[in-house]
Amino acid sequence: MYVNVSINGKPAGLKFNQMAYITFYKFIDLENFEATFHYAAVYAGLLSNSYVKREEFTTTFEQVCEWVDEMNDEEKVKVVEAFNSTVFWKKLVDVGKNADDKEKPNEQKKRKMKTILKSA
């Protein structure tokens, strides 16, 4: 899945592929999933897009966090919609539906992410 957004006042492409999923998992804070989702998703999408295009990627995670904080809601919605439409996210949701309700929510998220990444 590919989406164009405006980041740091410039157009940017985000690519959500297998590399993005692995990067996302490395940068998401599962204890604060909702608060860190956009940071991890945008960074992962930018990195993966650069990789696919064989472009040098010099942007830091810290820079992306600052840019995401300045993004408007419309651009953030584009990121969420693109990410949520990927096969990865759909598998993650399916795994969550089958999770044991007695398990702690954060442990469910960790297990879900690990299960999906193993199958990617």
Side-chain angles (χ1 to χ4, degrees):
M1 171 57 70
Y2 179 85
V3 64
N4 285 306
V5 294
S6 178
I7 300 174
N8 195 28
K10 302 174 191 166
L14 305 178
K15 180 76 175 169
F16 296 115
N17 56 14
Q18 185 171 345
M19 182 177 187
Y21 310 148
I22 293 167
T23 304
F24 176 82
Y25 183 68
K26 289 178 183 176
F27 285 87
I28 192 69
D29 178 352
L30 294 173
E31 300 296 320
N32 298 295
F33 188 87
E34 292 80 11
T36 60
F37 173 86
H38 283 100
Y39 300 138
V42 170
Y43 184 81
L46 288 170
L47 175 69
S48 296
N49 190 52
S50 291
Y51 180 79
V52 168
K53 292 183 174 187
R54 307 311 261 169
E55 297 172 345
E56 184 178 6
F57 187 74
T58 59
T59 304
T60 67
F61 184 70
E62 182 179 4
Q63 288 172 313
V64 170
C65 290
E66 289 176 16
W67 298 340
V68 167
D69 286 340
E70 295 172 4
M71 287 174 74
N72 65 42
D73 290 342
E74 183 179 315
E75 296 300 302
K76 288 179 182 179
V77 167
K78 286 183 188 178
V79 173
V80 171
E81 288 176 348
F83 193 89
N84 287 352
S85 70
T86 63
V87 171
F88 167 76
W89 188 257
K90 290 175 184 174
K91 284 183 181 179
L92 191 62
V93 170
D94 287 344
V95 169
K97 288 177 183 173
N98 298 323
D100 181 2
D101 291 335
K102 295 178 183 176
E103 199 172 4
K104 293 180 181 176
N106 288 331
E107 291 305 315
Q108 284 180 344
K109 290 176 186 174
K110 289 178 187 176
R111 187 172 52 77
K112 288 181 218 175
M113 293 293 284
K114 287 177 184 176
T115 300
I116 297 305
L117 288 171
K118 286 179 184 176
S119 69

